[in-house]
Amino acid sequence: QVQLVESGGGLVQAGGSLRLSCAASGRTFSINVMSWFRQAPGKEREFVATIPWNGGEPYYADSAKGRFTVSRDSAKNMVYLQMNSLNPEDTAVYYCAATTKGYSAYAPDYWGQGTQVTVSS
């Protein structure tokens, strides 16, 4: 089992920045890929960004490219999502996710509880 706990969400004005954190615990040695997803009210959950747990380049959704940066600190079992130039369309609950079976960012096995990000205009 892998446990994931997000933090860092909050209310920010348009144009501002937030840094989300995700703490992983449990069988972290089994993690292959860590990802961020988000779900806005009335919308389906969507992929935001992903990064290999043990090295490799990150990958972003088009909506995140150039504004968001995903990073990891494997020694601390942490993953981060730095979000800049936020706009109201970024308002959502953000989820951290871990893939242990295979390497697909789109089929995670574990999810965090989510952290709310609200961007005011």
Side-chain angles (χ1 to χ4, degrees):
Q1 293 284 339
V2 173
Q3 293 80 41
L4 304 171
V5 179
E6 303 96 333
S7 61
L11 175 64
V12 63
Q13 289 188 332
S17 299
L18 279 177
R19 187 195 195 205
L20 305 183
S21 299
C22 175
S25 61
R27 297 170 63 89
T28 57
F29 62 86
S30 66
I31 297 174
N32 293 326
V33 174
M34 291 292 291
S35 307
W36 288 94
F37 290 76
R38 67 185 183 185
Q39 187 166 20
K43 295 187 177 181
E44 294 187 352
R45 189 174 299 185
E46 65 174 3
F47 167 79
V48 176
T50 187
I51 189 166
W53 187 240
N54 292 311
E57 294 298 314
Y59 178 79
Y60 300 92
D62 287 344
S63 60
K65 287 179 183 176
R67 301 187 301 129
F68 295 2
T69 301
V70 60
S71 61
R72 68 184 178 281
D73 185 337
S74 300
K76 295 182 178 180
N77 292 328
M78 296 291 295
V79 175
Y80 306 97
L81 185 67
Q82 177 67 43
M83 304 186 294
N84 299 328
S85 301
L86 287 162
N87 58 64
E89 290 70 37
D90 296 314
T91 295
V93 176
Y94 284 70
Y95 296 90
C96 174
T99 301
T100 62
K101 299 179 178 66
Y103 292 84
S104 173
Y106 303 100
D109 310 292
Y110 299 97
W111 295 87
Q113 83 288 350
T115 186
Q116 176 70 47
V117 171
T118 303
V119 185
S120 63
S121 57

